[in-house]
Amino acid sequence: MKYVAPRWLPGGQLQTIWPALYSRRGFGARPAYRRERWDTPDGDFVDVDFLQDGIPAGETRPLLVVFHGLEGSSRSHYSEAFADLARERGWACALPHFRGCSGEINRAPRAYHSGDHAEIGWMLQRFRAAHAGPLMAVGVSLGGNALLRWAAEVGTDAARSADAVAAVCSPVDLAAGGHAIGRGFNRQIYTRMFMRSLVPKALQKLAQHPGLFDKEALLAARDLYAFDNVFTAPLHGYKNTEDYWLRASAKPLLRHIRIPALVVNARNDPFVPASSLPGVHEVGPCVTLWQPAHGGHVGFAKGRLPGHVRAMPDIVGDWLSTQADTHPEA
């Protein structure tokens, strides 16, 4: 596995921002999706987008499931890049949305969070029940941490739902990532970006469920630490932000993963300090670490201006395909 950033795109910040805004997401037309709404066991719903690629639905071709990051969706640049990869390789592709991220607020008081491994597990079980072929799952940023948490929590049972998993640019040490995004340039750009969507969604939840949290405390929040303290942590069973960041982090549990798992982190990711990344001595034998020097946060642009973002999905797709044995006739 190798990635070299183009010379025209230096530094982790540019390698994060430019690909998300300007680089090409695939080599074909923009992916077309078909949406399904799934009712959850607790009376809520999630929306799942399936790639429409013109290939008749088949039960035995590989299925790639893509879990998005914080405030992401099936239309995030990395989601469309993975869907483009799946279409090129003839795989089926599903892009589930975490609650409240599909364009419509969910019904229950809860939302989603970095340690939401139970939701990941329920989704994967449902995908597996409907699909007989190899099943590969990739989680990006927040989605990757939750995916790794699921794999670690269920141990050998993970093989019943997925053949191989990958986490891309995931803050597996949530405290390190949370503090990093709350400082300096990150605070001015990324924190403000996330807060612009998180706060209105939280206020919608409060309108649905009066008294759910302290409105004034939420409106006073200026960073993700404060937001998590008022909203994310208490609504999802954590005492406060510190408790949430500690208990939801995947890093301490990576030794317990029992299916093939790839953990990808660029060492110049502005959100995820290189000092917080797991070392080979901190993971189990089923976990492969890939930590290239460049790439930014879910950037990995390649080629001439404006570049494209298929480089990382191609590498991750190759690894998943090999581990999941998607070509048994070979």
Side-chain angles (χ1 to χ4, degrees):
M1 291 179 285
K2 184 178 181 181
Y3 169 76
V4 178
R7 297 180 67 179
W8 53 266
L9 194 64
Q13 297 290 2
L14 280 177
Q15 289 170 18
T16 299
I17 296 170
W18 180 275
L21 296 178
Y22 304 115
S23 293
R24 290 181 290 119
R25 300 178 175 195
F27 301 142
R30 191 182 192 196
Y33 299 132
R34 169 183 58 83
R35 176 161 293 186
E36 288 186 8
R37 176 157 291 184
W38 291 359
D39 293 324
T40 64
D42 62 347
D44 208 345
F45 70 89
V46 294
D47 289 326
V48 182
D49 285 350
F50 290 87
L51 176 66
Q52 288 187 315
D53 55 6
I55 300 175
E59 294 186 353
T60 59
R61 64 175 174 145
L63 170 64
L64 177 66
V65 180
V66 182
F67 294 101
H68 62 77
L70 181 63
E71 294 300 274
S73 75
S74 63
R75 288 301 178 191
S76 296
H77 67 290
Y78 51 81
S79 297
E80 293 195 347
F82 273 108
D84 188 67
L85 167 75
R87 177 174 55 193
E88 181 181 280
R89 299 194 180 194
W91 299 345
C93 184
L95 303 99
H97 293 86
F98 292 119
R99 302 189 193 202
C101 291
S102 63
E104 181 178 340
I105 200 70
N106 63 304
R107 294 188 290 261
R110 63 160 292 178
Y112 69 103
H113 61 92
S114 294
D116 207 353
H117 59 86
E119 189 93 306
I120 293 277
W122 171 74
M123 290 180 181
L124 288 175
Q125 285 179 345
R126 182 155 177 171
F127 284 123
R128 179 69 104 185
H131 192 87
L135 193 155
M136 304 164 287
V138 57
V140 178
S141 197
L142 174 150
N145 184 82
L147 179 62
L148 293 174
R149 276 295 312 273
W150 164 78
E153 291 284 348
V154 300
T156 56
D157 286 342
R160 297 180 181 179
S161 298
D163 296 291
V165 298
V168 176
C169 297
S170 298
V172 293
D173 180 339
L174 291 172
H179 290 306
I181 202 171
R183 294 192 293 260
F185 181 86
N186 289 348
R187 182 185 180 92
Q188 298 303 314
I189 302 300
Y190 308 118
T191 293
R192 289 185 176 184
M193 175 188 71
F194 287 129
M195 294 292 281
R196 279 198 297 269
S197 60
L198 287 168
V199 171
K201 283 185 181 180
L203 293 176
Q204 285 183 276
K205 301 305 297 178
L206 186 61
Q208 283 180 321
H209 305 277
L212 190 62
F213 57 83
D214 185 336
K215 180 179 179 179
E216 296 307 314
L218 181 85
L219 293 176
R222 293 292 178 267
D223 56 27
L224 294 178
Y225 181 95
F227 178 86
D228 286 344
N229 222 30
V230 176
F231 183 83
T232 311
L235 262 66
H236 300 104
Y238 300 98
K239 295 177 183 178
N240 49 36
T241 298
E242 287 90 348
D243 185 47
Y244 164 46
W245 286 356
L246 175 64
R247 291 170 51 203
S249 294
K251 184 178 178 180
L253 302 178
L254 295 178
R255 295 180 183 274
H256 303 303
I257 293 177
R258 294 295 181 266
I259 61 171
L262 176 65
V263 183
V264 180
N265 291 99
R267 299 191 69 83
N268 69 344
D269 187 330
F271 297 4
V272 185
S275 59
S276 73
L277 298 181
V280 294
H281 62 287
E282 296 175 286
V283 304
C286 293
V287 176
T288 298
L289 301 177
W290 180 39
Q291 297 173 356
H294 302 285
H297 188 75
V298 204
F300 296 94
K302 194 78 170 177
R304 297 180 180 179
L305 271 168
H308 63 79
V309 293
R310 272 284 306 273
M312 178 271 294
D314 283 343
I315 294 171
V316 172
D318 285 342
W319 189 91
L320 287 170
S321 180
T322 299
Q323 299 300 319
D325 192 19
T326 62
H327 303 285
E329 71 281 0

